[in-house]
Amino acid sequence: MTQNNIPKSPVSLLGLGAMGAALARTWLAAGHPLTVWNRTPARAEALAAEGAKVADSAAAAVAAGGLVVVCLLDDESVGSALDGVDLVGKDLVNLTTTTPAQARARASWAEERGARYLDGGIMAVPPMIGVPEAGGYVFYSGSRELFEMRRTVLAVPVGTEYVGEDPGFAALHDVALLSAMYGMFAGVAHAFALVRRADVDPVAFAPLLADFLSAMAPSVHRTAAQLKSGDYTTGVVSNLAMQVAGTPTFLATAEGEGVSAELLRPYFELMRRRLDTGSGQEDLTGVVDLLLR
Ligand code: NDP
């Protein structure tokens, strides 16, 4: 019960890995009746001591409430955990990381079994769960009606960001952001390799790197505006011709400093291909089109 005596809606949660356990604790702390299930029962013991009801099967956990949150390893584990479970009338919220195609297929699968379906992509690590100031959130997509109805309880562990009716969109946004992150990490690895060879103190270098990446990040807004307008020459600060002309400096520096350029080269090749289409006055935005198959 809340302070105003309004009962809090029950939650059934399948999956008590690092993420599931973190989610579970926030619902318990907020006073939501929580039923949990985990394939390995021992992982539920600590939560039982904290007030969760432990179901002895996935089917029993699903039967315990209307809102069923699933946070398992991958799509295959979701399929095996829910195989043969009665989902009629349930609100199934799947926070398991999957591909957009798997999310769409899982949505159809759930709807064929009489459930409403919402897919989620978690943009947080477990220590950020239940810590609003950490800035984590979950992308949601699928049934808008279900999202609106359940958003208060879904917002207990971490922020919510609804991105559309297509059930694949949460996974798409999730993977898009993480892909950008890996691109950034690739650049960071190259930068550290360069200074490491030269014996520059990496701890002294790190704030310079972090501040520069932060200063560059807002350029994504210009890229977005150009993609939307179709005009890649508006607002250009450093044109493609100039940037391609600079790439030998980067490659020669890597070579001269004894660092492999294998992370830089593929991007430079795309820049060159775009330049070769007569796009020297553009920004780097045209590279996006080269990636579309
Ligand atoms: P863990 O590896 O800690 O836990 C995996 C969970 O899946 C466990 O509950 C495990 O059960 C269960 N599981 C695995 N295979 C099966 C199966 N075949 N049948 C039933 N249950 C199964 O992972 P996390 O909790 O960290 O991650 C869960 C989801 O959250 C993943 O999709 C992950 O990508 C996503 N996520 C995780 C983040 C993180 O930083 N941890 C960040 C963002 C998203 P058992 O205990 O029996 O092994």
Side-chain angles (χ1 to χ4, degrees), residues 18-44:
M19 186 55 82
L23 298 169
R25 291 201 161 88
T26 65
W27 280 310
L28 283 176
H32 288 268
L34 182 71
T35 303
V36 294
W37 172 82
N38 196 63
R39 180 182 61 175
T40 306
R43 270 181 133 164

Side-chain angles (χ1 to χ4, degrees), residues 219-241:
S219 72
V220 301
H221 300 295
R222 188 170 65 246
T223 305
Q226 292 179 351
L227 286 170
K228 194 156 187 170
S229 70
D231 175 4
Y232 300 171
T233 59
T234 300
V236 174
V237 178
S238 309
N239 73 37
L240 185 61

Side-chain angles (χ1 to χ4, degrees), residues 14-23 37-43 70-82 94-98 121-127 129 174 178:
L14 309 189
L16 297 174
M19 186 55 82
L23 298 169
W37 172 82
N38 196 63
R39 180 182 61 175
T40 306
R43 270 181 133 164
V70 181
C71 189
L72 297 172
L73 188 63
D74 53 16
D75 184 61
E76 198 183 329
S77 50
V78 175
S80 78
L82 291 176
N94 185 10
L95 302 184
T96 307
T97 303
T98 67
I122 305 173
M123 304 310 297
V125 290
I129 303 299
D174 182 348
L178 293 175

